[in-house]
Amino acid sequence: MTDRAAPQGRRVALTFAVALAGALAFRALGLPLPWLLGPMAGCLVASLSGARLHGIRPLNDAMRAILGVAVGASFTPALLGDLAGMWPTLALMPVMIVVIGALGVPYFQRLWGYDFATSYYAAMPGGLQDMLLFGHEAGGNLRALSLIHATRVLVIVVALPVLLVQVWDASLDAAPGAPIRGMDPGQIALMALCGVVGWRVARRAGLFGASILGPMIATGALALAGILTTPPPAEAIFLAQFFIGMAVGQAYSGITWVEVRRDLIAGAGFCIVLIALTLAVVEVIWVMDLAPPREAVLAFAPGGQAELAVLALIVGADIGFVIAHHVLRMVVVILGAPLVARLLGPRGRRDERG
């Protein structure tokens, strides 16, 4: 083992230990979503205490692939028929993204003093890796973007279960699937094959969110064909929750108190704006009778795609409705954000004047 690998191995071991301690503490205290929020809380507290944490990226992606399989296994011909009826709420998604940007850029630029590139990509509700890549290419502050987006995911994932329980009487105690004992080994093998092959093919094709969307497409095809008839076992979903929660908390590793006072608080403040905007959109959808409020809040909350897929599975929401809206959000942000940034940024304005 090299000198560099040794401390990295210790950091990985520490991360796993802290995440497991958080999950067990949440279970012992009877707190909701212990396998998701427990590792998240444990890693966050450890990071704020100065611990240097480190995860295993391929393993985290493999856990996201489990969610892709779970979503794809829920596909039915009836669900495909329902997609056409989703157009009114799907049409609201680009509008919401524009409003988020219009509110977010001045919030970060004028109130907190970030430069335009950092402010713009901090406001965009896209995937963490994509926004970091775009923001870095535009000259933004990579560390600030990382902490702000991690805070967005963290706050929304923590706030949504509270809203679901207190406002819509959702239950967070239901098992996300049947136990693995007694399941058909052939079906389990098919799901594993869909997860691995779908992920690899999607990654090779350069598909965004390949670790979730690739397995989802592969599994969905077999489910629609009637070949795959079983969702993943509950144990697999719990394992996915654990690693996703750990990844969210671990994103704060190495954070300083200067960053807490600026980046974390700025990100948390913007989350209040995002939650208020989400609830306003949900109210419009409910008044117009376009979708049930529970599905609407899970579909429009600008959190992480994987985390919200977990919540949808746990509360028994219409997973197809939720995922369709998040996929559209990612497509709109990834394709549109860089183009709009060039028009609105200082360089774009100078080019127009020239």
Side-chain angles (χ1 to χ4, degrees):
M1 181 178 292
T2 65
D3 292 341
R4 182 179 178 182
Q8 182 170 308
R10 287 194 292 269
R11 290 179 185 176
V12 170
L14 174 63
T15 305
F16 274 75
V18 167
L20 182 59
L24 295 177
F26 266 55
R27 279 179 59 86
L29 295 172
L31 296 174
L33 304 176
W35 294 107
L36 177 66
L37 300 184
M40 193 182 300
C43 291
L44 175 61
V45 170
S47 295
L48 292 174
S49 301
R52 304 288 293 189
L53 304 182
H54 197 286
I56 303 175
R57 176 70 183 274
L59 190 55
N60 291 339
D61 284 342
M63 295 302 109
R64 294 166 70 89
I66 291 175
L67 294 181
V69 170
V71 173
S74 69
F75 285 4
T76 62
L79 175 62
L80 290 184
D82 291 341
L83 284 175
M86 295 180 192
W87 72 264
T89 52
L90 289 171
L92 287 174
M93 183 59 72
V95 177
M96 183 173 177
I97 292 170
V98 171
V99 174
I100 288 174
L103 295 174
V105 174
Y107 169 83
F108 286 112
Q109 195 170 19
R110 297 176 186 173
L111 186 59
W112 290 95
Y114 292 104
D115 60 84
F116 174 80
T118 304
S119 300
Y120 180 82
Y121 285 106
M124 287 296 102
L128 173 62
Q129 297 302 322
D130 302 306
M131 295 306 98
L132 292 184
L133 175 62
F134 293 156
H136 179 63
E137 290 179 348
N141 184 324
L142 199 59
R143 177 65 175 173
L145 285 170
S146 176
L147 292 173
I148 289 169
H149 280 291
T151 301
R152 170 173 62 89
V153 173
L154 174 73
V155 172
I156 288 177
V157 171
V158 171
L160 275 189
V162 177
L163 290 172
L164 289 168
V165 171
Q166 298 297 324
V167 180
W168 292 289
D169 296 323
S171 172
L172 302 178
D173 300 325
I180 193 171
R181 186 176 61 252
M183 290 186 68
D184 182 356
Q187 291 282 298
I188 294 176
L190 270 179
M191 287 185 280
L193 184 64
C194 287
V196 173
V197 174
W199 175 18
R200 291 181 65 87
V201 171
R203 185 175 62 180
R204 185 175 294 273
L207 183 66
F208 69 92
S211 58
I212 290 183
L213 295 185
M216 182 188 77
I217 294 169
T219 309
L222 293 188
L224 289 170
I227 299 171
L228 187 65
T229 58
T230 305
E235 292 87 349
I237 304 299
F238 286 133
L239 194 63
Q241 290 181 51
F242 177 84
F243 279 92
I244 289 170
M246 185 173 73
V248 173
Q250 174 225 321
Y252 291 93
S253 180
I255 190 172
T256 66
W257 284 106
V258 172
E259 291 172 324
V260 169
R261 288 193 296 269
R262 189 187 190 201
D263 301 332
L264 196 152
I265 294 176
F270 188 52
C271 285
I272 296 174
V273 176
L274 293 176
I275 292 172
L277 179 59
T278 300
L279 293 177
V281 171
V282 170
E283 180 71 15
V284 170
I285 292 172
W286 179 74
V287 169
M288 297 178 67
D289 196 25
L290 298 177
R294 184 181 63 175
E295 274 71 12
V297 74
L298 286 167
F300 281 87
Q305 184 181 9
E307 293 78 13
L308 291 170
V310 166
L311 290 178
L313 286 169
I314 290 170
V315 302
D318 183 340
I319 189 70
F321 182 88
V322 173
I323 291 299
H325 288 76
H326 284 291
V327 169
L328 177 61
R329 171 167 63 93
M330 295 301 173
V331 170
V332 171
V333 171
I334 289 173
L335 296 182
L339 298 176
V340 176
R342 293 191 187 102
L343 293 175
L344 298 182
R347 181 181 300 176
R349 289 196 294 268
R350 283 197 301 268
D351 290 346
E352 288 176 1
R353 286 197 301 267

